[in-house]
Amino acid sequence: MKTISVIVPVYNTEAYLDRCIKSLFCQSYADLEIILVDDGSKDDSLRICRKWEQRDSRIQVISQPNLGVSSARNEGIRKSTGDLIMLLDSDDWLAADACEKLLALIKGKNADCIVCGLKQTSGNIWAPAFDKDYSDLASFKCDFIYWINTELLSSSVNKIYKRGLITELYPENMSFGEDLVFVLNYLKHCNRISFTQEPLYQHEVYNSVSLTHSFSPARFSNLEDIQKAILDFADDKNKINPRIYDKYVKDALHLTRMWYKNKNVPYIRKKEIIGEWLKQSYIRKLKISDYQLHWKDRMLLHSLHMSCFIGINWIVNGKEYINSLSKE
């Protein structure tokens, strides 16, 4: 049994896959189990995985039909044998000493989870502003609103986990926010949680086929699932703090803009999807004055709160909204 199992879901990333796998092959810490789960790739990804499997006995390749990234990660977790779990997307890669450093941190701090920084190919670094250790879950929850709004909990790849504490896998019915739901379900079982500023995870931002660049109306219902998971995790004091909805508000405004800017969707369909979402959304429960927003964001949030579809379309598309209305 290896110490660390690294799980890599693979789907149509032939242009990036060698770089990803090589970053594992060349890790300074070698006691790894590397599980590559090909999720029905239509390009040369599976052949590349098999090539590396023949080269390195630590690598195991699993091939499944296209069931989605959550299914691929779950299958990897189920097949893993390591005491510790790391997750790596196949268009990303790890710093050469990432496994060694994360292992040293989780052992040295006797932690149940380590959260590290990410460095993007654009040059941006997304990392904690400071190193921080929590000795119990209650003390972490005291700072939970701060950490949820940094977005450092939203990704599942910038962390190392204890396999024995993973009791709930990724929700396979979500296409947006499933990482955060997985992370929060895991953190419920943790005591000692640590954050390190060091950007050990390297993130590719230019992959146009990445799931994060796609959009589906289902994301609106996923947004509600995410906020429910956040509230379920939060303590009673956090639940009554308006800041617990800051991420929700930001994501709601972003998704609304993406949806209304989609020129391939008729206005009546946009209105229908937004209307159905708003019926069961947290938007209706918010007090708009609690949120410090740019005036356009405030107007958009108010229009959503009032289900004013013309207002939403006008704020997002400006003069183009007149043409949209003519198609209603």
Side-chain angles (χ1 to χ4, degrees), residues 257-268 270 296 309-328:
R257 285 192 167 92
M258 287 181 69
W259 182 235
Y260 267 81
K261 283 185 176 295
N262 189 335
K263 298 184 185 299
N264 297 319
V265 179
Y267 171 74
I268 191 66
K270 294 175 181 177
K296 278 192 175 181
F309 302 107
I310 291 177
I312 296 166
N313 202 19
W314 178 77
I315 294 163
V316 174
N317 290 314
K319 294 179 180 178
E320 294 181 13
Y321 93 103
I322 298 175
N323 295 329
S324 298
L325 287 176
S326 67
K327 298 176 184 179
E328 184 178 3

Side-chain angles (χ1 to χ4, degrees), residues 185-250:
N185 284 335
Y186 177 81
L187 291 178
K188 288 177 184 178
H189 304 286
C190 295
N191 284 311
R192 302 182 71 90
I193 301 163
S194 293
F195 292 79
T196 177
Q197 290 179 284
E198 192 162 5
L200 299 171
Y201 191 93
Q202 312 293 306
H203 175 57
E204 175 61 62
V205 296
Y206 300 116
N207 181 10
S208 61
V209 302
S210 172
L211 178 64
T212 57
H213 292 274
S214 63
F215 185 82
S216 164
R219 288 191 171 200
F220 290 107
S221 61
N222 292 164
L223 181 63
E224 302 305 310
D225 295 333
I226 296 166
Q227 187 60 27
K228 182 180 184 302
I230 290 171
L231 293 172
D232 286 346
F233 183 87
D235 60 23
D236 291 340
K237 185 177 180 181
N238 284 333
K239 287 177 183 177
I240 61 173
N241 187 333
R243 301 282 74 77
I244 197 73
Y245 290 96
D246 282 357
K247 172 178 166 55
Y248 174 82
V249 168
K250 181 184 71 173

Side-chain angles (χ1 to χ4, degrees), residues 254-313:
H254 176 66
L255 291 180
T256 299
R257 285 192 167 92
M258 287 181 69
W259 182 235
Y260 267 81
K261 283 185 176 295
N262 189 335
K263 298 184 185 299
N264 297 319
V265 179
Y267 171 74
I268 191 66
R269 177 62 174 161
K270 294 175 181 177
K271 179 179 173 181
E272 176 186 319
I273 292 295
I274 292 290
E276 286 300 313
W277 163 48
L278 291 176
K279 287 178 185 177
Q280 46 91 44
S281 76
Y282 288 98
I283 291 282
R284 298 284 175 80
K285 301 177 182 180
L286 302 181
K287 184 179 178 182
I288 308 301
S289 59
D290 284 337
Y291 301 93
Q292 300 297 316
L293 301 167
H294 183 273
W295 69 268
K296 278 192 175 181
D297 288 340
R298 181 175 295 278
M299 286 179 63
L300 182 54
L301 184 61
H302 181 73
S303 295
L304 287 168
H305 187 75
M306 301 298 293
S307 295
C308 180
F309 302 107
I310 291 177
I312 296 166
N313 202 19

Side-chain angles (χ1 to χ4, degrees), residues 43-58:
D43 64 1
D44 215 22
S45 294
L46 181 57
R47 185 196 65 80
I48 294 170
C49 289
R50 296 292 188 198
K51 175 193 71 175
W52 280 97
E53 184 180 36
Q54 292 175 2
R55 182 176 179 181
D56 190 334
S57 62
R58 299 174 301 170

Side-chain angles (χ1 to χ4, degrees), residues 4 12 85 110 118 120 138 146 154 160 213 224 249 270-271 275 281 287 306:
I4 302 175
N12 291 352
I85 296 285
N110 192 27
L118 301 91
Q120 299 180 325
Y146 169 79
S154 298
I160 187 167
H213 292 274
E224 302 305 310
V249 168
K270 294 175 181 177
K271 179 179 173 181
S281 76
K287 184 179 178 182
M306 301 298 293

Side-chain angles (χ1 to χ4, degrees), residues 105 109 115-117 127-134 147 193-198:
L105 285 169
K109 296 178 181 292
V115 182
C116 72
F130 46 82
D131 291 351
K132 181 70 175 180
D133 300 323
Y134 294 95
W147 290 114
I193 301 163
S194 293
F195 292 79
T196 177
Q197 290 179 284
E198 192 162 5

